[in-house]
Amino acid sequence: MPRKAPELSALQVRRLISPGRHAVGGVDGLFLRVTDNGGRSWILRFPTGERRVSAAGNSFAVYRDVGLGSFPSTTLAAAREKARSIRDKLAEGIDPITERKAAKQARQAEERRRLTFARAAKAVIQIKQAEASNIKHARQWESSLESYVIPSLGTMSVADIELAHVVQCLEPIWQAKPTTAARVRQRIESVLSWATAHGHRTGPNPAAWKGNLDAVLPAPAKIKKVEHLPALPIDTAPVFWQSLTQREDVTAKALTLLILTGSRSGDVLGARWEEIDLAEALWVIPAGRMKRRREHRIPLSPAAVGVFKTLSPAQEGLVFIRGNGKALAARSMGDLIKRMHETSLKEGGQGFVDPTDGRVVVPHGFRSTLRDWMSERTATAHDVAESVLAHAIGNQTEAAYRRGDLLTKRAGVMKQWADFLVRK
């Protein structure tokens, strides 16, 4: 029978300073371990019941060590109490190391479940900002959540968010701001999906629409009020064009290209010289910059080519830049239209407003004017007109079989549109 270690006193334990493992007695297998640099800590050594054979052919018992804390932070009395507790568990067949690991994993799982919605949203926003081709859209993600969701759900654990919480968050804006509310719902759903994928919550997503919120809230399409962006009547477009082309500033030239090509503001402001082929009269916008994530080829009319040539074509870099070398601001073209409107009024003109509601026209409104012109003043086929504006094909079957982009036909339309604008 192995000899029991003598039971040392607290004073005797304090005097143990030589490196090694020192039995302190009181509980079988309790040691004070002293490191070479003087550090001291408690361990409990116990047999696992397993035996192995050494290289020399000798059988030996396998032991395991359990740490009980450092000395003197953990006193001799406390170390013996911890050791006795572990010995009692061993007697019951409970492995203390396995138990500790299970407890640690449980704590980690609980910490993951306690992740707040605000922290989860921050992680998802960073992902969306990295994916976004339009900085404005990326910022909208953050601002919409900050305005409509974080105040009510921000401090809640993602694991605790249920249908009632999502409904309470969305109801105040669901009918008043249906478009915004629909986007906010999708963003809540994305954040909670991310939380589920990362182990922070389980179960169905309470922000999902189908089979969930659709049974509680009215469909956005049923309550959405269609608000058209202010646009010029067809016959006012040449009047505006004449006023615009009298200006030589870079913002005016950007707006000129927007009108001539029927492009979106972001596409024009982000245009790069490496996308432009003046010899082929072609502007190719890469998929990463397009709303539909598909490359869009724009045939350039002679008038559009002429505008590009006035900008000192370069090999690369942004086409439209200010004198300081920085890109034009997102609102620059809209601000220019407002100034032109005010000038027109001062000179006794009618200004540049949408006659249906009296609002000053916005850059995107020229796409509506172009679409109206194609429908009412030309024989442009529907699919060609939609392709001019880089719209998706509504019929999925037709879209599946469509291979070309109707470039030649669109080139004819762009030439007609330019001729209409510059008419005297």
Side-chain angles (χ1 to χ4, degrees):
M1 185 174 182
R3 180 171 61 87
K4 276 185 171 291
E7 191 168 339
L8 302 184
S9 66
L11 179 59
Q12 289 174 309
V13 168
R14 190 172 293 276
R15 291 172 177 169
L16 296 173
I17 58 174
S18 59
R21 193 174 62 244
H22 305 275
V24 298
V27 179
D28 290 345
L30 179 60
F31 295 90
L32 181 72
R33 181 166 52 193
V34 182
T35 63
D36 292 338
N37 61 8
R40 294 185 285 182
S41 60
W42 299 105
I43 62 169
L44 177 66
R45 170 161 289 201
F46 60 90
T48 63
E50 179 185 358
R51 297 194 67 84
R52 296 179 183 174
V53 178
S54 67
N58 300 319
S59 175
F60 64 93
V62 178
Y63 286 81
R64 297 178 75 180
D65 292 346
V66 178
L68 303 178
S70 62
F71 177 83
S73 298
T74 301
T75 65
L76 172 62
R80 282 174 172 155
E81 183 178 349
K82 289 182 179 181
R84 290 190 188 98
S85 176
I86 291 175
R87 281 289 182 183
D88 289 342
K89 289 181 178 179
L90 287 169
E92 296 173 7
I94 300 173
D95 185 333
I97 295 179
T98 302
E99 185 181 46
R100 277 190 180 184
K101 288 181 179 179
K104 181 179 180 181
Q105 291 171 349
R107 287 195 303 271
Q108 291 174 338
E110 183 59 29
E111 288 173 2
R112 286 196 296 269
R113 285 193 293 271
R114 283 203 301 270
L115 179 76
T116 65
F117 183 90
R119 286 177 57 199
K122 185 176 180 179
V124 176
I125 287 169
Q126 289 178 339
I127 295 172
K128 296 301 178 182
Q129 289 176 335
E131 295 174 345
S133 60
N134 187 312
I135 296 177
K136 179 182 176 182
H137 293 166
R139 288 175 179 166
Q140 287 175 344
W141 246 86
E142 184 172 13
S143 62
S144 64
L145 291 177
E146 285 287 346
S147 298
Y148 304 113
V149 184
I150 299 302
S152 56
L153 302 183
T155 59
M156 287 189 66
S157 165
V158 290
D160 296 335
I161 295 176
E162 298 178 355
L163 176 63
H165 301 118
V166 177
V167 172
Q168 185 179 17
C169 179
L170 293 174
E171 273 187 332
I173 60 172
W174 194 254
Q175 299 205 36
K177 302 178 179 179
T179 301
T180 299
R183 290 173 179 166
V184 169
R185 182 205 65 76
Q186 292 171 347
R187 289 163 186 170
I188 296 174
E189 183 179 13
S190 294
V191 172
L192 295 181
S193 292
W194 177 92
T196 300
H198 286 77
H200 300 294
R201 62 172 285 119
T202 58
N205 193 319
W209 177 251
K210 191 173 182 180
N212 185 53
L213 282 171
D214 61 350
V216 181
L217 298 171
K222 298 292 181 65
I223 59 176
K224 181 178 179 180
K225 298 177 181 178
V226 178
E227 183 178 349
H228 297 286
L229 292 171
L232 287 179
I234 296 172
D235 290 321
T236 307
V239 178
F240 181 88
W241 179 262
Q242 185 176 3
S243 177
L244 176 63
T245 52
Q246 292 174 1
R247 306 178 67 94
E248 293 295 329
D249 56 279
V250 67
T251 304
K253 292 180 180 180
L255 182 56
T256 299
L257 263 298
L258 177 142
I259 296 171
L260 283 172
T261 60
S263 299
R264 298 179 175 88
S265 296
D267 298 338
V268 172
L269 295 176
R272 301 183 65 83
W273 282 113
E274 52 264 40
E275 300 170 358
I276 313 299
D277 187 340
L278 295 181
E280 295 294 330
L282 190 65
W283 174 16
V284 182
I285 306 178
R289 288 210 309 109
M290 289 299 296
K291 182 178 181 180
R292 293 174 52 220
R293 291 295 189 274
R294 291 182 61 183
E295 179 184 273
H296 181 50
R297 298 196 301 165
I298 301 175
L300 300 175
S301 65
V305 170
V307 175
F308 276 115
K309 287 183 177 179
T310 66
L311 293 164
S312 301
Q315 294 298 316
E316 59 182 16
L318 289 173
V319 173
F320 300 104
I321 54 176
R322 295 179 286 172
N324 59 6
K326 295 184 178 180
L328 292 178
R331 57 181 292 178
S332 59
M333 289 188 287
D335 289 343
L336 172 59
I337 294 173
K338 291 177 183 178
R339 292 195 299 271
M340 292 175 60
H341 168 70
E342 292 169 358
T343 299
S344 175
L345 293 179
K346 289 179 182 178
E347 295 176 350
Q350 298 299 311
F352 303 112
V353 299
D354 187 324
T356 62
D357 57 19
R359 291 183 297 162
V360 177
V361 66
V362 297
H364 200 83
F366 286 100
R367 286 167 57 83
S368 296
T369 303
L370 171 57
R371 187 66 177 85
D372 291 342
W373 172 82
M374 286 188 286
S375 296
E376 299 179 20
R377 304 293 177 86
T378 73
T380 305
H382 174 79
D383 55 348
V384 176
E386 291 297 280
S387 185
V388 165
L389 298 175
H391 284 164
I393 301 173
N395 186 303
Q396 292 184 356
T397 302
E398 181 184 354
Y401 285 94
R402 176 71 57 80
R403 292 293 182 269
D405 60 1
L406 306 171
L407 184 68
T408 301
K409 292 183 177 180
R410 288 191 289 119
V413 174
M414 293 289 90
K415 174 66 167 57
Q416 284 182 271
W417 172 237
D419 291 344
F420 168 76
L421 291 171
V422 301
R423 69 180 185 178
K424 302 297 183 182

